[in-house]
Amino acid sequence: MAIFLLNYISIPIYDLLIKKKRAVLLLVTLQMFLILALRADTLGVDLVDYKIFYEHYQTMTFGEIIRGFRPIGGSAHVYGVDSGYVLFNWIIGKLGFSFHSFLVIYAGLVLSSVALFIDRYCEDVGVALATFVSIGGFVSLFGILRQSLALAIFLLAMPALVNRKFWRFAIIVCVAGMFHQTFFLALLLYPLSALKANRTL
């Protein structure tokens, strides 16, 4: 009911701001952030397991976390969970944040990265946001935390790819890969981006 009311109130605002690219982007991103951040910490695929892991990491010392760190592949502490994600969880937890607060921070980081990408590279903000939501991008943020954080980091590498700055691109992609190792494959985008598409029919 609250979400329906929020959308109903927002419609006139969208009408007023439809030609203001950043205002629309900010408004929609803020809505998505509030929905994602204020949910129950059990709403999302595998979120119960993520919470157990998060609380488990807080029992470890920094030395234990580092000894279990693997730049490629899963952490030595939790099979199948990449080390960058483990370290990130450990840092947030040691700063005194609860798991729900972690989800709020996560929502802010991921949606900020998506919004920044849309602002930089999409002329029609409405189409970009509609596409992001309709293909399941927003819904996926409720459950796949590691992949979403890796994607958020990866999107920050786009300016380096566009401007052909290999080392900056590679470093950012490798950081993303430490959150989810499939993102190491994104390194292939650098040589592929140099190829010119054949536009002849």
Side-chain angles (χ1 to χ4, degrees):
M1 180 63 180
I3 294 174
F4 173 79
L5 183 61
L6 184 61
N7 285 328
Y8 180 78
I9 295 172
S10 300
I11 290 173
I13 300 175
Y14 288 137
D15 290 338
L16 290 172
L17 301 178
I18 197 66
K19 293 184 179 180
K20 298 184 182 295
K21 175 182 175 181
R22 288 186 173 172
V24 172
L25 181 59
L26 178 62
L27 182 63
V28 176
T29 303
L30 180 60
Q31 277 189 302
M32 289 193 291
F33 169 75
L34 291 174
I35 293 169
L36 193 60
L38 300 179
R39 61 175 163 153
D41 60 12
T42 55
L43 180 60
V45 177
D46 294 333
L47 223 58
V48 172
D49 290 335
Y50 277 123
K51 184 176 182 179
I52 292 172
F53 291 157
Y54 182 82
E55 292 171 351
H56 173 62
Y57 302 146
Q58 308 321 309
T59 66
M60 298 181 181
T61 65
F62 179 69
E64 289 173 328
I65 292 291
I66 294 302
R67 283 194 296 273
F69 194 90
R70 303 289 184 271
I72 300 177
S75 166
H77 296 301
V78 184
Y79 176 76
V81 179
D82 297 273
S83 294
Y85 179 78
V86 173
L87 178 60
F88 179 68
N89 274 247
W90 184 86
I91 292 171
I92 299 300
K94 288 300 182 181
L95 290 173
F97 292 102
S98 66
F99 180 67
H100 192 272
S101 297
F102 169 81
L103 292 178
V104 174
I105 294 169
Y106 154 83
L109 292 175
V110 174
L111 288 170
S112 294
S113 179
V114 171
L116 184 61
F117 177 83
I118 290 174
D119 183 54
R120 281 174 172 163
Y121 300 112
C122 302
E123 291 185 11
D124 193 321
V125 166
V127 170
L129 290 168
T131 301
F132 175 67
V133 173
S134 64
I135 65 173
F138 179 59
V139 172
S140 69
L141 300 184
F142 282 82
I144 53 174
L145 307 188
R146 292 185 298 123
Q147 296 92 323
S148 298
L149 283 166
L151 176 63
I153 296 168
F154 169 71
L155 290 178
L156 299 178
M158 288 300 98
L161 179 63
V162 171
N163 295 318
R164 308 298 298 161
K165 296 183 178 179
F166 173 74
W167 288 112
R168 182 181 299 177
F169 174 77
I171 289 170
I172 297 173
V173 167
C174 286
V175 172
M178 286 188 282
F179 279 73
H180 200 279
Q181 59 185 327
T182 57
F183 277 82
F184 284 114
L185 293 173
L187 290 170
L188 296 174
L189 289 176
Y190 194 84
L192 290 175
S193 68
L195 300 176
K196 292 184 178 180
N198 185 356
R199 299 190 180 186
T200 59
L201 298 176

